[in-house]
Amino acid sequence: MTRRAGEWQRLLWRWRRSPLRRTSDVVEAWILVAACLLAVAGGLLAGLLTAGAMRQSADGVRDRSRPVSAALTEEATREAARPTSSALVWGTVRWTDRDGAAHTGRARVPVTARPGSHVTVWTDGHGRLTPPPVSHAEAAFQAALGGLWAATAAVGVVIGGAKLARARLDRHRMDQWAEEWARVDTRWGRKTG
């Protein structure tokens, strides 16, 4: 708590009139205020826009995907096909689209499926195989996580920019301080360094 109070006192000191206050102190105070406001607003905006875009994309994929009944054409073995999980393996399936055209492709099928058994696969509007669309709950989770990452990135960029600006101001103040000490030291009749 003491450290935070010290930070706020340092920030508020820059606003008071003082013969020791420099223009760079006031500029730094304004940079900190602007960075706080921009971090909150920018983070919130980036998070909401990203979450909305991800949710809209998932809804679009779900709207374009169609479940189709397909027949497994050959035995899907764990050794021949790379397993995607313990319950699914890759297998060759054949299905007929809405226009009556027959298609063949590789899709994930249950390990227990045998040749000739029917499985459900998902296709896009052009009859190509696609992964199954995510559920509404999964889409909401992914959108929330994406929004959180975007908000964090936006806040990080703002804080990084403010830190960079403060570092440049500190360097400028140190250069000014060195020049002033050099002038004072010359008046006293000696040269430091």
Side-chain angles (χ1 to χ4, degrees):
M1 185 70 174
T2 309
R3 180 172 162 79
R4 287 192 188 269
E7 287 290 324
W8 281 106
Q9 287 175 353
R10 284 180 42 206
L11 176 65
L12 294 176
W13 173 85
R14 289 170 174 82
W15 297 105
R16 292 187 305 208
R17 292 212 173 267
S18 169
L20 299 176
R21 183 184 74 180
R22 299 173 187 233
T23 305
S24 62
D25 296 326
V26 176
V27 169
E28 183 177 7
W30 279 110
I31 287 172
L32 292 174
V33 168
C36 288
L37 294 175
L38 191 60
V40 170
L44 186 62
L45 184 65
L48 290 174
L49 288 175
T50 301
M54 289 181 71
R55 187 65 183 252
Q56 187 177 15
S57 175
D59 290 343
V61 168
R62 193 178 306 106
D63 290 343
R64 288 187 302 272
S65 298
R66 300 281 180 260
V68 176
S69 179
L72 187 61
T73 61
E74 62 185 44
E75 183 85 28
T77 61
R78 287 183 177 231
E79 295 81 27
R82 296 184 323 243
T84 57
S85 72
S86 60
L88 298 174
V89 293
W90 288 99
T92 303
V93 294
R94 180 170 297 142
W95 73 97
T96 305
D97 65 12
R98 291 182 182 177
D99 300 332
H103 298 278
T104 303
R106 294 189 50 81
R108 289 190 272 179
V109 297
V111 170
T112 57
R114 299 288 167 241
S117 62
H118 287 275
V119 294
T120 300
V121 295
W122 291 84
T123 61
D124 61 9
H126 303 288
R128 293 182 298 245
L129 287 175
T130 62
V134 296
S135 68
H136 289 286
E138 289 172 326
F141 176 73
Q142 289 174 359
L145 193 60
L148 182 64
W149 277 108
T152 303
V155 169
V157 166
V158 170
I159 290 174
K163 292 246 183 222
L164 182 64
R166 286 182 73 186
R168 290 187 58 112
L169 284 171
D170 283 343
R171 191 174 322 120
H172 178 70
R173 279 192 287 255
M174 289 298 143
D175 291 345
Q176 279 184 329
W177 194 34
E179 287 175 22
E180 289 172 9
W181 269 114
R183 281 192 302 241
V184 168
D185 201 31
T186 304
R187 278 192 224 145
W188 288 345
R190 55 185 181 272
K191 191 86 168 150
T192 58

